[in-house]
Amino acid sequence: MRTRGSQEKGATDGFGGERPTSKRRGRCVAHVDADTFFAAVEKQRNPRLRDVPVAVRQHGDIICVDHRARELGATKHMNPDKCRALLTPHGGEVVHVHSTDDHMLSYEPYTRASYELHAKLYAACERLRVDGGTLIYQRASMDEAYVQLENGAKPSQRGKAFAESIRRAIAEECGYSVSVGVARNKMLAKIASKLAKPNGVVVIEDEADLERCFRQLPSSHLPKCNEPLIRRNLALHNLRTAWDVRELNAKRLEALVGLTRERALALCKAAHGVDDSEVVHKVHEKNTLSSSMTLTMVPKPLPKNVGSDVGVTGGPAGWYNPLTCGERERIELTLGARARDLYSTIKVHQAYTERWPSTLTVKMAIEGTSVQYSKSAAFPVKSEDATSETAEDVLTKKATELALLTVGKRTTDKIREVAVVVSNFKSSTGARERTREEIMTAEADRLPKLFLRSREQQLERDAKENAQRRVRAKRARNERWIEALQPLPPVDMLIALIGGWDGEDECPLEVEQCRLAIRNRQAKCVGDE
């Protein structure tokens, strides 16, 4: 393994400057990522799918492919019919994401599974926490999380053992396989978990690990490099792996790849494995929940399995139909579908967090404009009425009212997108709401506090040792005074004769000791004469 000094010295001439280094060292971060989450949830919902290759589609798009299907050549975003042709001969299936009876997409099963996954993952992390150590858990998405282990933990030792334990725990408790990456920061941990798929563990600890991983990592997998133009420019200049990008400084990346100065600097840091972003403690907390729908601008036929039914937005049977601002009944149908989907998510959220929204917002995008129109109001359902049979109807009615206020007097304009959003969550149990300062304190990285406390404790120990040292020195001084080995200063002698030391001296001379010191000093002076 090359040392940091030898690396910089050997690479400075070709690199054109000093290489980026991290300001946050000594961390151990794990990235836990569930493998093919949507397919895994579908396999749990339908046991018949557990031992066959599975791909999940959403209308005309493949959104998830399990690893057995991937081995057969299936990929994300491929044509569903082509995907089905690949899987069917091997007993595989292409399944559609969960839909309601009126053919509306509903993520409710996946949302519920996500909350369960994070609850059990966090509980497993707490069980594995070292006594007295600090563990920071950050929910990153539906199926992934960052976990920062105790300060000083080594990725190749404590980090790897933790990752293996987490994999076993989630497999036993949830039935999901997860891949775990362990490194010194969030970015490297996420890259490591991607390389660990499926159901594996990869550790990036030192320069040798970084080189081994980055030489096989495509450059487009570095942060913010997945845009077509950037990927094309990287390939044009033969920057095919992350290790190739590492040989260019920020200025050269800015010129060759066509990045802004800020993005070029960020890419240069990423290629050197530098990421100082914090792991922020967050398990289930969310600021908003939403249910949105992108509408068609031209008539499109419904999927073959739906047949001639009426779509969720209404209109002629067997078709997805454009929705205009003047079609009040169809707007109500659309908002009702979104509101019902959102309400199921709200109830799942409350079950795990005991929090209930207080604000309802309806947002709409109109064809031909980039402006998003919105209206807000108080959330119409109280937490104690969450299980009421009329709760969804009340929410639908209020969402429709806001939607009609949003479209205003428009009649012929087509609605491009509609979203129902809830926010400003508060405790549904009557618990006191935390202040903004308390929330920020709770979500802040706790390691700086640990470092500060450790420094304070060290200062306290140093102060105590210094005080004891002063006491020993003053006792030795007193003995020298008493034995007449050192003259008493006139002021000190005067204060002592008055009746003691009133200052900050921890070891004063008593009056009798002072008189003894004077007699001994007088005797010594007489003897010297």
Side-chain angles (χ1 to χ4, degrees):
M1 181 180 74
R2 293 178 296 177
T3 64
R4 178 184 167 218
S6 63
Q7 174 199 349
E8 290 186 356
K9 182 178 179 181
T12 297
D13 292 340
F15 182 71
E18 185 175 349
R19 293 185 180 273
T21 56
S22 176
K23 298 178 181 178
R24 295 294 310 276
R25 300 179 181 179
R27 293 190 296 172
C28 181
V29 180
H31 181 257
V32 185
D33 191 0
D35 298 328
T36 60
F37 182 65
F38 279 73
V41 173
E42 288 298 332
K43 289 183 178 184
Q44 287 204 350
R45 296 178 63 218
N46 187 354
R48 180 175 56 83
L49 302 174
R50 290 184 179 176
D51 298 322
V52 301
V54 172
V56 181
R57 73 181 180 90
Q58 181 171 312
H59 299 318
D61 187 25
I62 297 294
I63 64 170
C64 181
V65 179
D66 74 1
H67 294 283
R68 292 186 61 186
R70 196 167 295 168
E71 291 173 356
L72 297 173
T75 60
K76 289 178 65 175
H77 307 307
M78 75 183 306
N79 182 279
D81 292 333
K82 292 182 179 180
C83 185
R84 187 178 292 105
L86 289 173
L87 303 187
T88 301
H90 301 274
E93 290 192 29
V94 176
V95 298
H96 199 281
V97 294
H98 176 65
S99 302
T100 61
D101 293 337
D102 52 2
H103 313 301
M104 181 194 71
L105 296 180
S106 173
Y107 277 24
E108 190 272 338
Y110 317 108
T111 301
R112 188 177 296 276
S114 173
Y115 277 93
E116 179 186 10
L117 171 66
H118 281 285
K120 292 185 176 180
L121 178 56
Y122 180 67
C125 291
E126 283 295 305
R127 291 197 301 270
L128 295 170
R129 180 168 58 87
V130 175
D131 291 341
T134 299
L135 182 146
I136 307 174
Y137 183 98
Q138 179 180 349
R139 174 189 176 122
S141 71
M142 289 184 71
D143 58 348
E144 58 183 331
Y146 292 100
V147 184
Q148 182 167 314
L149 304 185
E150 302 82 9
N151 181 38
K154 292 186 177 181
S156 59
Q157 298 176 11
R158 161 69 171 147
K160 186 174 182 179
F162 174 86
E164 294 289 359
S165 299
I166 285 295
R167 283 179 57 247
R168 290 193 296 268
I170 296 305
E172 293 172 0
E173 298 181 25
C174 298
Y176 302 133
S177 69
V178 297
S179 299
V180 187
V182 185
R184 289 297 186 185
N185 58 54
K186 293 171 70 175
M187 181 198 70
L188 289 181
K190 186 176 179 68
I191 290 174
S193 70
K194 184 177 296 185
L195 297 174
K197 288 184 175 295
N199 195 27
V201 173
V202 168
V203 177
I204 301 177
E205 181 169 30
D206 54 23
E207 187 71 17
D209 294 333
L210 184 66
E211 180 175 357
R212 183 178 64 254
C213 293
F214 274 29
R215 284 194 182 279
Q216 59 178 304
L217 183 73
S219 57
S220 59
H221 288 189
L222 288 172
K224 300 181 180 179
C225 284
N226 57 351
E227 297 177 11
L229 178 60
I230 295 177
R231 296 175 64 175
R232 186 164 58 250
N233 288 340
L234 288 172
L236 179 64
H237 295 284
N238 204 30
L239 302 174
R240 303 192 181 280
T241 68
W243 197 255
D244 296 332
V245 178
R246 181 187 178 92
E247 297 309 314
L248 300 181
N249 59 31
K251 289 185 178 180
R252 294 175 67 186
L253 286 172
E254 182 181 352
L256 294 178
V257 186
L259 299 172
T260 63
R261 181 175 301 178
E262 292 75 12
R263 292 188 66 180
L265 180 58
L267 179 57
C268 183
K269 288 182 177 180
H272 285 78
V274 176
D275 175 26
D276 294 327
S277 61
E278 305 288 353
V279 180
V280 181
H281 191 75
K282 182 172 63 174
V283 182
H284 293 305
E285 294 86 344
K286 285 189 175 182
N287 296 324
T288 62
L289 293 175
S290 65
S291 178
S292 61
M293 183 177 188
T294 300
L295 304 174
T296 180
M297 296 293 98
V298 295
K300 294 181 180 179
L302 289 172
K304 296 178 181 179
N305 63 314
V306 174
S308 59
D309 291 350
V310 176
V312 66
T313 62
W319 293 84
Y320 290 117
N321 300 283
L323 176 62
T324 62
C325 295
E327 297 177 286
R328 298 316 201 234
E329 292 183 0
R330 291 186 60 200
I331 290 177
E332 184 175 359
L333 282 174
T334 305
L335 268 294
R338 291 298 96 198
R340 288 193 298 274
D341 179 58
L342 178 59
Y343 194 69
S344 64
T345 303
I346 292 172
K347 289 192 291 185
V348 174
H349 185 75
Q350 185 201 27
Y352 282 91
T353 66
E354 297 184 339
R355 298 179 69 76
W356 194 253
S358 58
T359 303
L360 171 68
T361 303
V362 171
K363 299 180 179 180
M364 284 188 173
I366 307 298
E367 182 189 22
T369 176
S370 59
V371 178
Q372 190 175 58
Y373 301 92
S374 65
K375 293 290 182 182
S376 299
F379 192 73
V381 182
K382 296 182 179 180
S383 58
E384 54 266 28
D385 299 328
T387 58
S388 170
E389 295 180 357
T390 62
E392 287 187 355
D393 295 334
V394 173
L395 177 58
T396 298
K397 181 179 179 181
K398 191 63 178 180
T400 303
E401 291 177 3
L402 294 176
L404 296 178
L405 289 174
T406 303
V407 299
K409 296 181 180 180
R410 298 180 182 89
T411 55
T412 59
D413 294 335
K414 295 179 181 179
I415 300 174
R416 180 164 45 87
E417 185 177 3
V418 61
V420 183
V421 184
V422 292
S423 57
N424 296 330
F425 285 84
K426 297 181 179 180
S427 172
S428 59
T429 61
R432 184 184 71 85
E433 290 296 309
R434 295 182 298 173
T435 64
R436 177 176 176 81
E437 289 73 18
E438 290 173 334
I439 294 174
M440 292 177 66
T441 301
E443 292 184 349
D445 185 352
R446 288 176 280 180
L447 280 180
K449 295 182 181 179
L450 290 178
F451 292 140
L452 179 60
R453 180 55 185 161
S454 176
R455 178 60 179 164
E456 291 175 348
Q457 291 174 344
Q458 183 63 44
L459 292 175
E460 291 174 359
R461 290 193 294 268
D462 292 345
K464 187 175 181 180
E465 291 177 1
N466 290 335
Q468 293 174 346
R469 192 179 301 111
R470 288 196 301 270
V471 169
R472 291 193 296 270
K474 291 177 180 179
R475 283 177 178 169
R477 177 204 62 190
N478 291 354
E479 291 175 359
R480 291 195 298 272
W481 280 349
I482 292 172
E483 295 175 3
L485 298 178
Q486 178 178 336
L488 276 171
V491 175
D492 292 351
M493 180 180 66
L494 179 61
I495 295 176
L497 290 174
I498 291 175
W501 297 73
D502 296 327
E504 297 179 355
D505 198 320
E506 297 94 336
C507 189
L509 276 173
E510 298 294 337
V511 174
E512 291 300 325
Q513 291 177 326
C514 186
R515 289 174 177 169
L516 177 60
I518 292 174
R519 287 197 298 270
N520 290 341
R521 182 64 183 172
Q522 289 174 340
K524 182 174 177 59
C525 292
V526 171
D528 292 341
E529 292 177 356

